[in-house]
Amino acid sequence: MSDSKHLKVFVSSTFVDLVEYRKRVIEVLNRYQFTPLAMEFFGSRPHDPETVCEDEIDQCDLFIGIYAHRYGYVPEGKEKSITQMEYELAKEQEKPRLCFVVDEDTPWKPKFIEFDKQKELKKFQALVTTDHTVDFFSSPDDLAGKLATSLANYIAGRKKKAAQTKTDSDTVPIPRAPLPYIAHPY
């Protein structure tokens, strides 16, 4: 695992509805000197979106999921959205995951709600909230603050774990005192 200041963090969410939220997440990651792996930076690639996301998740040290009222793009011939596939791949690879779900009382523009995919979205969000202790957000600033707190806790946990898992080779052993040798004069 890489140094905390050089962690690669994959940012997963639907895009059109969460542009401002994603901007704030990337700002927070940059303040922590993490490397955000986000679709905004993928550029043009010769592979399909699933392959690109899989490659980026393979490289990441931490996964951040942001979920609101859109289930997301479902590739032709697939049953799950890219967003759900990203989450499941990170889970399968046992990547640490910090997940945030919009508070249900937060007003949301109807044009950013996929009414026809609510069943799939609710099932996916139920999976996420069952797998994790999630945090709920109500605005881009609220999400940024909660992410900063979660990242600080994550870093502290990594440091604590690193301190606990030091091997014997990391410490200098104290030599045993020699056994006393008593020579009798007779």
Side-chain angles (χ1 to χ4, degrees), residues 3 6 10 12 18 21 26 39 41 50 55 62 65-66 71 106 131 135 171:
D3 178 357
H6 301 288
F10 188 88
S12 175
L18 295 169
Y21 295 83
I26 291 167
M39 68 179 83
F41 310 121
E50 291 172 78
D55 291 344
L62 177 65
I66 311 161
Y71 182 61
T106 300
D131 284 352
D135 210 343
T171 60

Side-chain angles (χ1 to χ4, degrees), residues 120-143:
E120 295 91 340
L121 176 64
K122 295 301 177 197
K123 186 176 177 182
F124 172 50
Q125 286 182 347
L127 170 70
V128 172
T129 57
T130 301
D131 284 352
H132 303 283
T133 302
V134 301
D135 210 343
F136 296 90
F137 63 90
S138 59
S139 70
D141 288 337
D142 183 43
L143 175 59

Side-chain angles (χ1 to χ4, degrees), residues 31-181:
R31 265 190 264 131
Y32 274 88
Q33 298 179 357
F34 293 166
T35 302
L37 303 175
M39 68 179 83
E40 293 88 334
F41 310 121
F42 290 174
S44 178
R45 299 200 188 173
H47 305 291
D48 62 88
E50 291 172 78
T51 303
V52 170
C53 291
E54 185 174 333
D55 291 344
E56 295 294 324
I57 291 170
D58 285 343
Q59 295 178 44
C60 82
D61 299 299
L62 177 65
F63 176 93
I64 294 175
I66 311 161
Y67 310 113
H69 297 284
R70 292 179 61 86
Y71 182 61
Y73 169 69
V74 178
E76 190 173 326
K78 301 290 181 174
E79 294 181 15
K80 297 176 182 175
S81 69
I82 294 281
T83 307
Q84 183 169 351
M85 286 189 275
E86 290 169 347
Y87 172 82
E88 289 177 351
L89 181 60
K91 179 180 176 180
E92 177 183 305
Q93 293 184 8
E94 298 181 0
K95 302 286 183 173
R97 297 173 305 280
L98 300 176
C99 296
F100 303 87
V101 178
V102 70
D103 185 296
E104 63 183 32
D105 293 330
T106 300
W108 210 255
K109 291 181 181 178
K111 72 179 185 177
F112 293 140
I113 299 174
E114 284 183 317
F115 292 102
D116 60 329
K117 295 182 181 174
Q118 287 300 298
K119 180 180 173 186
E120 295 91 340
L121 176 64
K122 295 301 177 197
K123 186 176 177 182
F124 172 50
Q125 286 182 347
L127 170 70
V128 172
T129 57
T130 301
D131 284 352
H132 303 283
T133 302
V134 301
D135 210 343
F136 296 90
F137 63 90
S138 59
S139 70
D141 288 337
D142 183 43
L143 175 59
K146 289 178 176 180
L147 174 61
T149 300
S150 295
L151 289 173
N153 291 336
Y154 174 72
I155 292 167
R158 280 174 50 101
K159 287 180 181 177
K160 182 178 179 181
K161 185 176 180 181
Q164 290 173 343
T165 59
K166 281 191 173 188
T167 63
D168 290 337
S169 64
D170 292 340
T171 60
V172 177
I174 300 172
R176 290 183 175 221
L179 295 173
Y181 178 75

